[in-house]
Structures are given as structure tokens and as C-alpha cells.
Amino acid sequence: MIRFASYDGTVLVCHERGEGPALVCLPGGPGRSSRYLGDLGGLSARRRLFLPDNRGTGESAAPRDPETYAMGRMVADVEALRVRLGLERMDLLGHSAAGGLALLYAARHPERIGHLVLVTPTVHPVGIEITDGQWSAQIEARADESWYESRLPDLKAWDAGDESRRLRAQPFFYSPWNEAAEAHATRFADRSAEAAKRFHTDMPSAEQTRANLAKLTTPVLVIAGEHDPGPTPTHAAELAAIFPQGTSTVLPGAHYPWVTAPNTFTQTVDAFLAD
């Protein structure tokens, strides 16, 4: 376990797993600790994973100023971790909401990126819109699954703001929805409401972020889950097209491909990082 102070004195914790070249892995949620990433489907057998708990989550301290939960402000936490690890350039992975954080970090510090891996990332920071029709089409594609009818009201209620239905809605974000998926969703359901509420704030304009990312010359991989309602494979391809060396790939599963297709996930990421 690594402890370090960020720019404002908040003490953050980073966990370390595995052996091999370093890969810094940012957890999403937002407001979830890095525990839900686990060893990323066995990727720790090939890479030395650095898994920070974002401020106010897991074993990292909550900041004095809650405004610093903003994604745009947390870029400085990522930079503080890079300095603490002594990495001149780092391979960086961001999942879900933290895909947005990784995008903002790469836009601000392009010279510090070796490889960038975005796993089912939010596309909001670059102005890509997930329409209601696109979301609904991905949801309705699961209609023949046994749990669909009983869980659809939960998804709609959660999407409308009822946080108490979040866990019941999780089958739509795993594919297949099986015992392993349910165990993962249940075990790692907790998140910081305060961190989640403020995360998607204090961001540069999408136009500015896109312009900066278009200058990033290092390799970028955007991973979509085949059945993920957001981002869809189409959105992943649109995001990848922003980068001069961007590529996208579609893996079996949905929002957590390392849980339901671990071998495919680890082989894909490892091959990309080795290139």
C-alpha cells in the first residue's frame, strides 16, 4: 500500500498488485473504491497494477473541500500519484466514469502518457451524446433474458434518480448475468454519494478537451462491451477516432468485461500494452 499527499494535502492510498511493467488503473463509479477492479481479470499476472482509491473512497481520506471531488480537479490527484511512483511516462487505464478522468488527464498532461486504455468509458467530457434511442436499443436487446421483465422497472427507477434501485438494475450492465456477475455487483455496490454527486463537474469545454486529445500521439485503446448501454460500440469508435493513434474494440459482455470475459479482456489489454 502506498500513501501520498495530493496537491491540497489530502492523503490518498494506492494499492499494488502483481508483477511486470506498471499500469495505473483509475476506478470509476463514480465514488467507488478501487476494490471492485480486483486484479482486472488476471491482468496482474502480466502487469504491475497500481490501483488508487480516489479521494473520499476506500482507504483514501475525504478532502476538506468537497468541491475537489470534481473530475476536473481530480486530474491533479492522478498527477500526484505519477510523481509519487516516479514514472516519467505511465500506461494509464480508466474504467467507466474514470475513463473521463483519464481523458482529462491525457488532455492536460499528454507528455506523461505511454499507452492509454479506456474501458467502457464515459464519453461526456468530449461531447459525445448517448441518445435515449441508443440507450433503449441496447436495453431492449436483452429482452429475451429471464430476468429482463422483473428488473426493467428497477433500471427505469434508478435512471430516474432512485439510488435505492441501483443494485437491482445491475443485470443490464453485465453479460451474461450469472452468479459471478451477481456476486461482483453485490460485493462492490457501495460508493460515496458525496463523491458521486460532485464528480461530473469543473470540466473544460468538450471542444477544448477534444482539441487537446487530437494532439496526443501515443496509442489509445477504447474498449466497449457488446451489450453495454453506454458507451455503445458506436460511441467507443467515435471516441477512438479523436486520437491520431486511437483504436476501438468490442469485447463480449457489457460494462465490466474483465468480470464476465476475463481471458479475452486480459489478452486484449496485454497485447495492446506490449505493442
Side-chain angles (χ1 to χ4, degrees), residues 14 18 43-44 60 63 77 114 140 152 155-156 166 172 176 236 248:
C14 179
L43 191 59
S44 61
S60 289
D77 292 342
E140 291 168 7
L152 186 60
L155 177 68
K156 291 180 176 179
R166 185 172 190 267
F172 292 95
S248 67

Side-chain angles (χ1 to χ4, degrees), residues 27 97 135 174 195 202 271:
W135 171 274
Y174 294 82
D202 198 16

Side-chain angles (χ1 to χ4, degrees), residues 84-240:
R84 172 63 179 81
L85 296 177
L87 299 172
E88 183 67 22
R89 292 162 66 88
M90 63 180 172
D91 291 341
L92 182 65
L93 179 150
H95 172 245
S96 190
L101 177 56
L103 285 169
L104 295 189
Y105 180 85
R108 194 176 303 177
H109 300 284
E111 75 284 358
R112 301 302 186 187
I113 299 292
H115 294 74
L116 180 62
V117 183
L118 303 168
V119 182
T120 60
T122 178
V123 291
H124 177 68
V126 294
I128 296 174
E129 179 185 1
I130 300 175
T131 67
D132 290 343
Q134 290 168 324
W135 171 274
S136 296
Q138 286 290 88
I139 296 301
E140 291 168 7
R142 313 282 304 270
D144 61 347
E145 301 193 42
S146 61
W147 46 264
Y148 180 87
E149 292 295 339
S150 64
R151 298 299 182 99
L152 186 60
D154 298 297
L155 177 68
K156 291 180 176 179
W158 176 59
D159 193 38
D162 184 353
E163 186 65 18
S164 70
R165 307 285 280 277
R166 185 172 190 267
L167 182 57
R168 288 276 304 170
Q170 289 308 296
F172 292 95
F173 300 95
Y174 294 82
S175 180
W177 178 247
N178 54 21
E179 288 185 6
E182 185 170 11
H184 184 267
T186 303
R187 183 180 179 190
F188 302 115
D190 291 343
R191 67 174 181 167
S192 164
E194 183 73 8
K197 178 176 68 175
R198 298 178 184 272
F199 185 77
H200 291 283
T201 61
D202 198 16
M203 292 184 285
S205 69
E207 293 76 15
Q208 178 183 340
T209 299
R210 290 177 75 107
N212 289 343
L213 292 174
K215 301 173 186 177
L216 185 69
T217 58
T218 52
V220 179
L221 176 65
V222 184
I223 296 176
E226 180 182 7
H227 297 295
D228 195 358
T232 67
T234 298
H235 297 118
E238 186 177 350
L239 175 58

Side-chain angles (χ1 to χ4, degrees), residues 63-77:
R64 292 183 179 180
D65 179 2
E67 296 297 326
T68 64
Y69 283 122
M71 187 194 306
R73 304 275 288 273
M74 287 174 60
V75 169
D77 292 342

